[in-house]
Amino acid sequence: MIERALRAMTERVTAVLFSLVLAACGEGVLLNPVGPKGSGGASSGAACTSWSLLPTTYPGGVEDYSVTAADFNGDGILDLAAANYYAGTVAVFLGLDGGLFGPPTTFTAGGTPSCIATGDFNGDGGIDIAVVNSNDNAVSILLGDGRGGFVQAPIRFAVGNDPVWVTEADFNEDGIPDLAVANSYDDTVSILLGTGAGRFAAQSPFLTGLGPNSVSVGDFNGDGHMDLAISDFGNVKGTGNTVSILLGTGTGAFGPATLLAVGEAPFFAAVADLNNDGLPDLAVTNNFTNTVSVLLGLGDGGFAPQTTFRLGARPTMLGAADFNGDGIPDLVATNAGDNTLSVLLGLGDGGFAPQLIVPTKGLGPYGLVVDDFNRDGHSDVAITDIESGDVTVFLDSCQ
């Protein structure tokens, strides 16, 4: 099954790149996440004398690609939602006390949902879902009922060709969530401005590098407007091997892309302050070279050249949080090629210690989200496995 999934996601690349992983998604949690996605990576403020990640696996759907965390039923406990690509559904796992989760409830999400974002799209105070439908060139909106369910059939909006990623933020600064969608075949990012009623205006496309595969958000030049960092994985037109930076104007428009060199087949670009200087930096998983590229932000929209650190085989998603309680950001990545997580403990200057390997319980770990699921002040990890369709939650046992 995992071979079939990987093949299905690589039909858009050339014969030279035929075996690449391409279109999976999960929301690698940023240290300063934008939008109502949960509390993000947590830290208790006290260094751990010992720590580990303790797994619990929950049966999910059919080839879960993406996972995100939000409080869908308003009980103050984080829940999980996973995109079931071949089933055309979203599976919602309601959170319980102690970082546990109930069985999934599935909801129709349109064809081939591959990535999930959350936000209050209709202004009713509840959490809604946006999913990209890769084969349908659309994004679907599921409006939440505030009780962990959804009130009607998905509402669909057209985007570009072969969409693979969706991210929520307020790009025109009107207080209403908007969407950014990476269109892999078009080499564009579509911006859909929200109306506040669960609807979105027609897309406005902006050019990126080749084969955009993820979209992350941060203020890279300090002007108070949201900018975009997009990993350019590559497509049938060639290899990407760049990250595109598009500086926002605060009106929902963006300037031309600046391309930054990273490793081969960059899968996901996370935004976090990795050296504690108050400026957003980038961490990028390079799927072909089994590395993460760290690019330290300069504060003017530019970034220093990459420094690379070793990961496991075929890394996909990445999250940033303080796992050992020393106040320094660490990184965690899913490695789809060897069924592991890589944890890199931060040194405080943008550098990282050699990776620690954490085996996963399933095959093909892909999607990833970091948050404090048991509310103990420490960062936990949830991942999806595209082979089993399961979701596994790793609770941080920081002592």
Side-chain angles (χ1 to χ4, degrees):
M1 185 181 293
I2 186 171
E3 289 82 3
R4 182 185 70 180
L6 298 183
R7 284 197 301 269
M9 289 182 291
T10 59
E11 291 174 352
R12 62 182 67 90
V13 297
T14 62
V16 174
L17 304 176
F18 183 71
S19 63
L20 295 182
V21 179
L22 199 62
C25 157
E27 292 188 271
V29 167
L30 316 182
L31 290 182
N32 297 297
V34 176
K37 292 182 176 23
S39 60
S43 175
S44 66
C48 311
T49 57
S50 65
W51 70 277
S52 61
L53 294 175
L54 305 177
T56 301
T57 297
Y58 300 88
V62 180
E63 297 193 2
D64 293 339
Y65 280 11
S66 168
V67 63
T68 190
D71 182 7
F72 294 110
N73 61 351
D75 64 354
I77 300 173
L78 284 174
D79 312 309
L80 295 174
N84 302 324
Y85 186 82
Y86 285 108
T89 61
V90 167
V92 174
F93 303 77
L94 295 181
L96 308 172
D97 287 332
L100 301 176
F101 293 86
T105 302
T106 58
F107 302 90
T108 299
T112 58
S114 61
C115 180
I116 303 177
T118 60
D120 181 8
F121 301 131
N122 59 354
D124 65 354
I127 301 297
D128 310 311
I129 285 178
V131 298
V132 288
N133 304 117
S134 294
N135 289 353
D136 298 334
N137 298 336
V139 60
S140 293
I141 305 299
L142 287 71
L143 297 178
D145 63 8
R147 300 185 298 275
F150 298 89
V151 297
Q152 62 189 57
I155 307 165
R156 180 171 292 193
F157 300 90
V159 291
N161 197 352
D162 196 14
V164 294
W165 193 280
V166 60
T167 294
E168 172 271 338
D170 182 8
F171 297 117
N172 61 349
E173 300 170 11
D174 63 353
I176 299 171
D178 310 311
L179 299 177
V181 178
N183 304 305
S184 179
Y185 189 79
D186 286 350
D187 305 328
T188 62
V189 58
S190 293
I191 301 299
L192 292 82
L193 299 180
T195 67
R199 302 295 194 273
F200 292 83
Q203 64 168 327
S204 296
F206 297 89
L207 289 175
T208 68
L210 287 176
N213 195 61
S214 73
V215 184
S216 295
V217 177
D219 180 9
F220 303 131
N221 59 352
D223 64 355
H225 306 314
M226 289 294 99
D227 309 314
L228 302 178
I230 299 169
S231 62
D232 302 319
F233 189 91
N235 54 27
V236 294
K237 290 169 275 188
T239 58
N241 302 344
T242 58
V243 169
S244 294
I245 302 298
L246 283 72
L247 298 180
T249 64
T251 65
F254 293 84
T258 299
L259 304 186
L260 308 176
V262 290
E264 194 170 357
F267 195 94
F268 174 65
V271 180
D273 180 6
L274 301 176
N275 59 351
N276 286 331
D277 65 353
L279 302 175
D281 309 309
L282 300 177
V284 184
T285 50
N286 301 308
N287 188 259
F288 252 27
T289 50
N290 301 332
T291 58
V292 56
S293 294
V294 172
L295 297 85
L296 298 179
L298 304 178
D300 59 359
F303 292 82
Q306 65 173 321
T307 302
T308 59
F309 302 90
R310 179 62 54 184
L311 296 176
R314 307 293 290 275
T316 53
M317 290 303 306
L318 186 74
D322 178 13
F323 294 108
N324 61 349
D326 63 356
I328 298 172
D330 310 311
L331 298 176
V332 59
T334 46
N335 301 311
D338 59 13
N339 306 319
T340 63
L341 299 179
S342 292
V343 178
L344 285 72
L345 297 180
L347 303 179
D349 59 358
F352 294 86
Q355 64 175 324
L356 305 172
I357 300 297
V358 180
T360 61
K361 302 190 75 173
L363 298 177
Y366 233 54
L368 178 148
V369 64
V370 179
D371 220 312
D372 183 7
F373 300 124
N374 58 355
R375 298 180 290 178
D376 66 351
H378 303 297
S379 297
D380 309 310
V381 179
I383 66 169
T384 58
D385 293 304
I386 59 171
E387 171 71 16
S388 63
D390 295 336
V391 172
T392 298
V393 176
F394 294 82
L395 297 181
D396 187 345
S397 67
C398 176
Q399 302 292 327

